[in-house]
């Protein structure tokens, strides 16, 4: 399955409300003078706070192996 086929397949399975959000975001990308960046810069304090939270969660056993998480996402979105 090509990337475009996978993308279309994923869009077809999304709820209508989510499809509308994707459409509006895509329109904004093509109509904006400067493309919108969905990622806001994080402060040093926020990054350190997030890392501390992650370290605490790992120490408490609240984590999931990356390959297991990826497989769940593939199954959830119909790629498996």
């Amino acid at each position: 399955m090509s990337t475009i086929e996978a993308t279309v397949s994923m869009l077809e399975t999304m709820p209508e409300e989510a499809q509308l959000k994707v459409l509006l975001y895509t329109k904004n990308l093509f109509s904006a003078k400067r493309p919108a960046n969905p990622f806001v810069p994080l402060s040093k304090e926020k990054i350190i706070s997030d890392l501390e939270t992650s370290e605490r969660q790992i120490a408490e056993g609240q984590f999931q192996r990356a390959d297991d998480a990826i497989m769940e996402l593939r199954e959830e979105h119909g790629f498996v």
Side-chain angles (χ1 to χ4, degrees):
M1 178 180 288
S2 71
T3 302
I4 190 69
E5 290 170 330
T7 302
V8 170
S9 175
M10 184 174 53
L11 286 168
E12 289 174 339
T13 62
M14 293 172 80
E16 190 173 329
E17 182 180 319
Q19 289 177 357
L20 182 59
K21 287 181 182 180
V22 171
L23 174 66
L24 293 174
Y25 179 77
T26 306
K27 280 184 176 180
N28 186 37
L29 286 176
F30 288 98
S31 64
K33 291 182 182 183
R34 191 176 114 196
N37 182 353
F39 306 103
V40 296
L42 299 177
S43 68
K44 180 179 178 180
E45 292 78 16
K46 175 65 174 152
I47 293 170
I48 291 172
S49 171
D50 288 352
L51 289 171
E52 289 170 345
T53 299
S54 294
E55 289 174 349
R56 179 184 46 77
Q57 290 172 332
I58 291 168
E60 294 173 359
Q62 300 174 349
F63 65 90
Q64 183 177 28
R65 292 177 41 88
D67 54 346
D68 293 338
I70 291 168
M71 184 55 72
E72 279 185 22
L73 288 171
R74 287 178 176 168
E75 290 172 354
E76 182 180 329
H77 294 285
F79 295 117
V80 176

